[in-house]
């Protein structure tokens, strides 16, 4: 679905594809996320791409649940 591709692209944007996952998996999986976050609050310094993806998923889910029900669907 469109939302799956959106989430996939969100996660892929934070991968550090210049690092081999066999040599440093954490750097590979989370290495580029700080480049995409414009402001990192003091309490957010230890957050990673998965916690950000989780927050985004909750926000998107909230938006979906706030939409009116279409009985035709």
């Amino acid at each position: 679905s469109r939302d799956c591709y959106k989430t996939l692209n969100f996660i892929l944007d934070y991968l550090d594809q210049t690092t081999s996952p066999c040599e440093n998996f954490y750097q590979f999986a989370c290495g580029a996320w700080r480049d995409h976050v414009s402001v990192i609050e003091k309490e957010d310094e230890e957050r990673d791409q998965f916690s950000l993806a989780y927050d985004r998923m909750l926000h998107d889910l909230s938006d979906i649940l706030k939409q009116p029900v279409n009985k035709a669907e």
Side-chain angles (χ1 to χ4, degrees):
S1 72
R2 179 181 53 124
D3 291 328
C4 289
Y5 283 111
K6 182 179 171 183
T7 301
L8 173 65
N9 286 325
F10 176 75
I11 293 171
L12 288 176
D13 283 344
Y14 295 123
L15 293 179
D16 178 0
Q17 297 184 17
T18 64
T19 301
S20 169
C22 296
E23 292 183 21
N24 186 341
F25 185 77
Y26 183 82
Q27 179 63 31
F28 170 76
C30 304
W33 83 273
R34 285 185 185 261
D35 296 338
H36 291 80
V37 178
S38 59
V39 177
I40 300 175
E41 299 293 329
K42 183 81 172 164
E43 62 271 9
D44 289 340
E45 287 180 356
E46 295 185 17
R47 297 189 67 189
D48 60 16
Q49 69 177 9
F50 300 107
S51 62
L52 291 174
Y54 178 77
D55 290 346
R56 175 168 273 195
M57 184 264 319
L58 289 178
H59 180 268
D60 291 347
L61 182 59
S62 175
D63 287 347
I64 291 169
L65 293 174
K66 289 177 184 176
Q67 294 177 1
V69 175
N70 183 351
K71 292 183 181 184
E73 292 181 340

